[in-house]
């Protein structure tokens, strides 16, 4: 005999919209604003842009591993792909 148990799981679909997308938008804003630095501060500008890039890549890898695996592209994967590629 097998025991079958059913459990309804409710997934809050707006979690990524409220938590991840604003964070990515802020990081992109910082990277764009760093372009306003003077030409003499080229090293600082490069460090800031590279730091933001590595943080965004880390966020992408972390979030991508937690997204459901489906045969189509969900909204969050579409947004992540447009932010990075």
């Amino acid at each position: 005999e097998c025991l079958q148990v059913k459990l309804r799981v409710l997934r809050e679909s707006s979690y990524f919209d409220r938590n991840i997308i604003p964070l990515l938008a802020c990081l992109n804003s910082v990277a764009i604003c760093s372009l306003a630095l003077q030409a003499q501060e080229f090293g600082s500008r490069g460090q800031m842009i590279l730091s933001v890039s590595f943080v965004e890549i880390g966020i992408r890898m972390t979030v991508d591993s937690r997204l459901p695996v489906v045969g189509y592209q969900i909204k969050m994967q579409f947004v992540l792909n447009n932010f990075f590629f």
Side-chain angles (χ1 to χ4, degrees):
E1 264 317 294
C2 290
L3 175 65
Q4 289 186 338
V5 178
K6 291 184 179 183
L7 177 65
R8 290 183 160 247
V9 177
L10 178 65
R11 181 179 300 203
E12 190 175 342
S13 61
S14 63
Y15 171 78
F16 293 108
D17 295 338
R18 285 186 281 124
N19 294 312
I20 305 299
I21 292 176
L23 176 61
L24 292 176
C26 288
L27 288 171
N28 284 334
S29 298
V30 168
I32 291 170
C33 289
S34 70
L35 297 175
L37 293 174
Q38 299 296 323
Q40 295 84 3
E41 299 172 348
F42 181 76
S44 299
R45 181 190 315 169
Q47 284 179 340
M48 189 177 302
I49 290 174
L50 281 175
S51 297
V52 168
S53 299
F54 285 126
V55 168
E56 287 185 356
I57 289 169
I59 290 172
R60 163 137 192 189
M61 294 177 80
T62 302
V63 169
D64 247 357
S65 67
R66 289 177 169 75
L67 288 174
V69 178
V70 292
Y72 53 89
Q73 194 175 39
I74 63 174
K75 180 181 176 184
M76 188 62 198
Q77 289 167 330
F78 177 76
V79 169
L80 289 173
N81 286 336
N82 286 333
F83 266 114
F84 297 106
F85 300 113

